Amino acid sequence: MIYRNKINKTNLNSPFRGLGGSFIINIERSMLTSEGNRLLKVDLEIANNELLCLFGHSGAGKTTLLRILAGLFTPDRGFISFKGEVWYDSAKKINLPPQQRNVGFVFQDYALFPNMTVRCNIEFAQKIRNADEVDSLLSHFGLEALQKQYPAKLSGGQKQRVALARALAAKPNLLLLDEPLSALDYEMRLNLQDEILKAHKLLNSQTLLVSHDKEEVLKLADTVVMLRNGVVINQGKPNDIFL
Amino acid sequence: MNSDFINTLLLTGKLAGWTTAILFVIGLPIAYLLAYKRFWFKSLVEALISMPMVLPPTVLGFYMLVAYSPKHAFGGFFEKYFDTRLAFSFEGVLLASLVFSLPFMIQPLQNGLVAIPRSLREASYTLGKSEFTTFIKVLIPNMIPSIVTALAMTFAHCIGEFGVVIMVGGNMPGETRVASIAIYDEVQAMNYDVANQYSLVLFIISLVILTVIYSINGKSAPSAAP
């Protein structure tokens, strides 16, 4: 459930801000789109264990927001806290680097390391080496037979499953998925939507998924946030928004 | 083959080998900074590194020779603290060679780093890996063709160096007389047979190095995309 405008001037200045169990985002960042400069302005609170879809056309600011949450972009100003830990606070000059946010990020191009096998990609993500956990992830995503293959030999769907398994191997607090199905054909998308749900359940925490596919959002999301030109124009249950 | 011929070729290999090894160690971090970091004097640094590609070697050699003089701060420092006179010595030629070959090492490494998709670095960071770990375990293994090119180009360029070596090193057998100088010297002395022997060796080494570069880059091209 999202509580729109729950963060306001008053509670932004409160010493207790960000101490709840939820994910609080209140940021601004100027971004350059094909239609010129836009201001991304987002104010959200995301409840525990929710799968939230950021929905909107290209240039709406979905990927920019996801990258800000991962620490890959810095907002111009604002505040981000996750389960009580402040990740970014422009007023206090706090900005945790991506390494300290413990976020699982699945990139649009999957970003699998070409020099590592499927198994090595997953092992690389582990903070403490644990072969049993790697085996378990390989089994969960049906990758046992591919574990010695290099990414160049994999299909798009297989790469996506490896990327999901790798993101979970780091035991992240939060899973961020940047249009992970956009490069796949329709049938493959349907199959892999189940894999995303599986990953979300394994994670047992918040998942944010960027998508511009209504069907996908209806199937996967607990809640949907619609972005247009950098601002939230609608949010709620997918059925309420789309049907 | 006489011992002079062998010694000259060994000295040429020694100069090229040391230059390549030292430049690889200092070139990697410089290429990393130029590829990924922004700083206000970056263009100036890039221009300075590339200068040897456009500057006549004699210009660079002249300024280095002046700097090597014990009367100047740089040469005086080396003489005082290392008891080394840089002008007309192997160390002096090596130092000049490092400066002159810098772009041949930096540019392929920088291009190799820039060509790696940004998402690979970012994926590593989000998995908690430091910039150094990412550099060693993700970036370097995925730019092997660029590293081979940088090493081979630097080595090959070093072997063919003439202008800088003659300016700062002269023609001292066993110390600064490398193959390219020896060719010129033998031609001046009308010893065309010896000049031909040196030339043939340099020709073959250069051909082998370039063939290796094209072969490695050709093989890696289809699987370069992740």
Side-chain angles (χ1 to χ4, degrees), chain A residues 67 99 103 109 112 115 124, chain B residues 119 122 126 129 137 141-142:
Chain A
R67 294 175 66 81
Q99 288 91 340
V103 162
D109 65 358
L112 300 179
N115 58 310
F124 182 76
Chain B
S119 60
E122 293 177 338
T126 59
K129 309 301 175 191
K137 296 197 170 169
N142 287 304

Side-chain angles (χ1 to χ4, degrees), chain A residues 73-116:
Chain A
F73 279 170
T74 305
D76 297 335
R77 65 192 70 83
F79 178 83
I80 302 169
S81 84
F82 185 84
K83 296 186 178 175
E85 184 183 39
V86 177
W87 284 359
Y88 176 78
D89 187 342
S90 56
K92 290 184 178 167
K93 296 192 173 8
I94 295 170
N95 187 15
L96 288 194
Q99 288 91 340
Q100 289 175 29
R101 297 192 185 197
N102 197 19
V103 162
F105 200 114
V106 175
F107 291 79
Q108 222 167 336
D109 65 358
Y110 313 120
L112 300 179
F113 306 124
N115 58 310
M116 300 180 200

Side-chain angles (χ1 to χ4, degrees), chain A residues 120-134:
Chain A
C120 290
N121 262 280
I122 296 170
E123 279 173 352
F124 182 76
Q126 290 187 310
K127 289 175 180 75
I128 300 162
R129 280 285 168 92
N130 185 330
D132 291 342
E133 279 181 13
V134 176

Side-chain angles (χ1 to χ4, degrees), chain A residues 117-169:
Chain A
T117 61
V118 166
R119 189 179 184 90
C120 290
N121 262 280
I122 296 170
E123 279 173 352
F124 182 76
Q126 290 187 310
K127 289 175 180 75
I128 300 162
R129 280 285 168 92
N130 185 330
D132 291 342
E133 279 181 13
V134 176
D135 290 336
S136 164
L137 282 166
L138 287 167
S139 155
H140 253 103
F141 291 97
L143 295 165
E144 294 109 316
L146 300 170
Q147 60 177 302
K148 289 182 181 165
Q149 295 284 350
Y150 285 89
K153 302 269 182 197
L154 303 180
S155 70
Q158 289 166 340
K159 283 181 188 171
Q160 201 256 8
R161 283 188 278 147
V162 178
L164 278 172
R166 186 181 68 178
L168 293 183

